[in-house]
């Protein structure tokens, strides 16, 4: 088909174009970054294509970006052309890439900027709609492209950023894409070479291919990672990172090192400030840039770092890798294993450094990435020893601060041999856990494990530094004697023996199959009851998980412990003594059990309790 056709943009794209054309963004110059980034992507694809296929149009053309500013006269609008010798687009590709597939990205972008928290020019590239930023400066855009295929034809895509675009045959004999921009009057500064150089220096200095403005090279294109760290300015790292990832934030950590043994490696790695960036950034796959002898051999290499460290970004370059490695050989290659080992150690060492020297920064890191470390333990047997020292938890004695396992061990009491933890839904509810009663009384520290994955990894964590981990909902838990017996307690209400046994019997008959046993508690102080796990109960964590992940969930059966010293229990016993068939007592027992389930984070549906609570209130008010 060689006839011109006209197409209408989809609603989301129209809306996006309208916003871009009518808003006054302070950073309009990022359109150039986006177009150069697209050119660079197209050149990278060409580079990889030619590794295996020389039957392409212009196989010897330099892989580069050329920017031209044609002369114009008088009132004629100013023009700007950005050309690349990349992979080019066929007619069909133009239609999809510049028209159709942008929809979802456009919608996500509009939603994101609608919240007003982000500067659109910072993030547009992350949504796969960077191309459209050209309409911040253009009255009209004409994209002329010729695909690398030998039998390709040249086509043009034309739009003024309104409702429609047009596709028509075009003249172009060489490979690649040209973006012809008719500049808006208020954006005519972009027709000046010095301005373009300035913007390139600012946003695209580290693009991997040469960018020429006229005949002069405008980007420095040095391989920053091959430099000596002492020669690199902090700002260069930041710029390099931002141009590599299109993340507008500064990285949380930068790791630059080289080594010759056991394997030659130069690496420049980054930890992004936000893990979420990678989700937003629809266009960026995870993985590291892999170079051999300063030549890019893989763009998104995920074989070097374990999956759970996949948040690290950056470049790895090795002279020990052959230039012609294929993906398969990369995977089963001894050098690759050594490289992976080396950089994994370096990343973990850097994190350890931060955790030792910059608590605030480490806390930021931990809040963002702790999930990855829990995944590490769940999925990678070897990871445990490396990552456990990096874990941080709130505890019953840390006052909201996060502490490490080493700190916990340092603060252990004389005679304490185990690391105590309590599982729960969130910090607020575990802080009120009845299981903590005996620990408070003995001033023993308990770690709060409130991430859903904690329940998954709890059974996998046997011990740390020779200290066993111990879930404190354990029925068999043995604690050292309490130091100072609380004498006041002796005077407190105590349920008489005979009433108490009747009460336990009533708990058993009301709750029936739902509990394994009902017993008097030896440890509870401030809580009326608690649910404890029988010895070696492997189900307890599994059931908790099914609930988190919305799987079929069965409330696990527990042992119910009753605190005979608690006023509520004493009163309940008295009520039962006076009125053996009391409805109020029955409802109270049901409610105590349900509340305990909620407290444990094990209730399937807390809302179910509401009618009973109403009934209880009704009875209480009646009594008044
Ligand atoms: P993204 O780059 O995130 O995919 P863009 O809106 O910047 O999103 O570009 C959309 C698509 O248009 C690209 O994915 C690519 O397929 C195509 N494209 C844009 N510019 C070029 C170019 N210079 N050469 C080849 N294809 C291009
Ligand atoms: Mg792009």
């Amino acid at each position: 088909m060689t006839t011109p056709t006209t197409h209408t943009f989809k609603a989301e794209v129209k809306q996006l174009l309208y916003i871009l054309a009518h808003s006054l963004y302070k950073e309009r110059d990022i359109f150039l970054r986006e177009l150069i980034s697209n050119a660079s992507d197209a050149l990278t694809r060409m580079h990889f294509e030619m590794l295996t296929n020389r039957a392409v149009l212009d196989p010897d053309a330099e892989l580069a970006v050329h920017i031209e500013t044609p002369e114009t006269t008088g009132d004629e609008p100013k023009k700007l052309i950005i050309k690349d010798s990349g992979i080019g687009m066929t007619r069909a590709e133009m239609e999809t890439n510049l028209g159709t597939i942008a929809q979802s990205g456009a919608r996500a972008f509009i939603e994101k900027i609608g919240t007003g928290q982000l500067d659109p020019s910072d993030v547009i590239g992350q949504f796969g709609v960077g191309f459209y930023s050209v309409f911040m400066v253009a009255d009209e855009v004409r994209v002329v492209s010729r695909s690398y295929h030998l039998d390709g034809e040249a086509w043009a895509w034309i739009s003024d950023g309104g409702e429609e675009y047009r596709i028509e045959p075009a003249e172009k004999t060489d490979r690649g894409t040209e973006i012809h921009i008719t500049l808006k009057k208020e954006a005519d500064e972009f027709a000046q070479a010095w301005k373009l150089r300035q913007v390139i220096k600012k946003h695209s200095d580290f693009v991997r291919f040469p960018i020429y403005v006229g005949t002069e090279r405008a980007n420095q294109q040095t391989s920053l990672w091959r430099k000596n760290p002492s020669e690199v300015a902090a700002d260069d790292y930041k710029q390099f990172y931002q141009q590599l990832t299109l993340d507008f934030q500064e990285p949380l950590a930068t790791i630059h090192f080289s080594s010759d043994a056991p394997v030659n490696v130069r690496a420049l790695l980054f930890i992004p400030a936000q893990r979420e960036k990678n989700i937003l950034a629809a266009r960026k796959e995870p993985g590291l840039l892999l170079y051999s002898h300063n030549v890019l051999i893989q763009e998104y290499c995920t074989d070097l770092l374990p999956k759970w460290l996949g948040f690290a970004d950056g470049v790895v370059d090795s002279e020990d890798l052959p230039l012609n490695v294929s993906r398969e050989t990369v995977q089963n290659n001894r050098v690759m294993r050594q490289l992976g080992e080396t950089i994994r150690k370096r990343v973990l060492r850097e994190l350890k450094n931060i955790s030792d020297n910059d608590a605030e920064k480490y806390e930021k890191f931990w809040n963002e990435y702790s999930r990855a470390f829990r995944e590490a333990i769940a999925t990678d047997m070897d990871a445990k020893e490396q990552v456990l020292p990096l874990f941080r938890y709130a505890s019953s004695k840390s006052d909201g601060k996060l502490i490490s396992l080493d700190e916990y061990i340092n603060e252990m009491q004389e005679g304490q041999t185990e690391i105590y933890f309590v599982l729960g839904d969130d910090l607020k509810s575990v802080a009120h856990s009845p299981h903590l009663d005996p620990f408070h009384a003995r001033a023993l520290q308990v770690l709060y494990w409130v991430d859903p994955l904690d329940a998954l990894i709890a059974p996998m964590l046997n011990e740390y530094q020779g200290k066993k981990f111990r879930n404190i909902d354990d029925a068999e838990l043995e604690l050292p004697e309490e130091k100072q017996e609380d004498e006041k307690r002796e005077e407190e209400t105590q349920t008489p023996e005979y009433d108490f046994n009747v009460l336990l019997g009533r708990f058993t008959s009301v709750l029936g199959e739902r509990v394994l046993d009902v017993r008097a508690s030896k440890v509870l102080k401030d809580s009326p009851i608690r649910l404890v796990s029988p010895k070696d109960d492997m189900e307890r964590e599994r059931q908790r998980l099914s609930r988190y992940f919305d799987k079929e969930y069965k409330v696990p059966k527990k042992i119910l412990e009753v605190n005979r010293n608690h006023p509520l229990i004493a009163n309940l016993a008295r009520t039962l003594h006076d009125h053996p068939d009391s409805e109020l007592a029955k409802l109270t027992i049901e409610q105590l059990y349900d509340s305990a389930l909620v407290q444990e984070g094990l209730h399937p549906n807390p809302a179910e309790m509401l009618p009973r609570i109403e009934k209880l209130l009704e009875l209480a008010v009646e009594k008044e």
Side-chain angles (χ1 to χ4, degrees), residues 133-339:
S133 64
V134 70
F135 290 104
M136 297 196 289
V137 298
D139 272 334
E140 190 186 78
V141 178
R142 181 180 165 89
V143 180
V144 182
S145 194
R146 182 167 177 140
S147 164
Y148 70 99
H149 296 290
L150 286 171
D151 55 357
E153 294 164 348
W155 285 87
W157 178 103
I158 303 135
S159 175
D160 61 4
E163 308 262 299
E164 318 181 311
Y165 62 93
R166 199 166 75 242
I167 295 188
E168 62 184 35
E171 285 294 316
K172 180 171 165 62
T173 50
D174 52 352
R175 182 190 76 215
T177 303
E178 301 174 6
I179 319 273
H180 295 248
I181 301 165
T182 306
L183 290 165
K184 290 183 180 184
K185 184 89 195 71
E186 65 270 26
D188 63 7
E189 54 180 337
F190 294 109
Q192 291 169 287
W194 70 266
K195 175 70 186 176
L196 296 167
R197 286 209 190 89
Q198 189 192 52
V199 177
I200 291 168
K201 184 99 203 117
K202 182 164 162 211
H203 290 301
S204 311
D205 208 27
F206 293 106
V207 165
R208 296 193 287 274
F209 301 93
I211 305 168
Y212 300 95
V213 175
T215 52
E216 236 176 89
R217 175 80 178 268
N219 61 329
Q220 63 170 29
Q221 200 214 15
T222 48
S223 310
L224 205 59
W225 62 92
R226 294 177 77 87
K227 287 191 167 175
N228 189 327
S230 62
E231 291 162 13
V232 183
D235 195 55
D236 279 347
Y237 284 132
K238 183 180 138 198
Q239 292 297 335
F240 180 86
Y241 168 76
Q242 293 182 332
Q243 291 172 27
L244 175 72
T245 58
L246 297 184
D247 182 5
F248 65 98
Q249 301 186 74
E250 279 186 45
L252 196 77
T254 301
I255 309 164
H256 185 186
F257 67 92
S258 65
S259 159
D260 280 313
V263 65
N264 171 284
V265 57
R266 295 161 203 261
L268 176 51
L269 303 170
F270 302 95
I271 297 175
Q274 277 185 306
R275 192 180 193 199
E276 201 205 354
K277 184 213 79 176
N278 288 325
I279 300 166
L280 271 187
R283 64 173 295 283
K284 172 85 171 74
E285 294 170 40
L288 302 171
L289 289 165
L290 181 60
Y291 282 75
S292 158
H293 302 82
N294 206 20
V295 176
L296 182 65
I297 55 174
Q298 218 182 320
E299 205 183 358
Y300 301 107
C301 178
T302 50
D303 300 321
L304 283 171
L305 285 172
K307 210 162 161 233
W308 51 271
L309 275 179
F311 54 80
D313 239 319
V315 181
V316 175
D317 191 348
S318 172
E319 313 264 304
D320 290 342
L321 279 174
L323 267 176
N324 57 352
V325 279
S326 70
R327 214 188 129 68
E328 294 68 45
T329 54
V330 158
Q331 274 172 331
N332 308 307
N333 180 296
R334 183 180 51 87
V335 176
M336 283 297 283
R337 270 203 309 280
Q338 289 174 331
L339 278 174

Side-chain angles (χ1 to χ4, degrees), residues 34 37-38 41 125 130-131 283:
E34 294 301 329
S37 142
N38 287 348
D41 289 346
F131 169 75
R283 64 173 295 283

Side-chain angles (χ1 to χ4, degrees), residues 28 90 254 302 320 448 536:
R28 261 191 326 200
T90 62
T254 301
T302 50
D320 290 342
Y448 293 164
D536 298 326

Side-chain angles (χ1 to χ4, degrees), residues 38-39 41-42 45 84 87-89 97-98 125 128-131 177 283:
N38 287 348
D41 289 346
R45 292 176 62 193
D84 65 68
I87 200 149
M89 282 179 275
N97 298 342
L98 304 181
V129 290
F131 169 75
T177 303
R283 64 173 295 283

Side-chain angles (χ1 to χ4, degrees), residues 482 484-492 525:
E482 228 175 296
Q484 333 110 319
E485 266 308 318
D486 203 336
E487 280 158 28
K488 225 177 68 220
R489 298 219 166 246
E490 294 303 310
E491 300 149 23
E492 265 176 25
K525 300 256 163 170

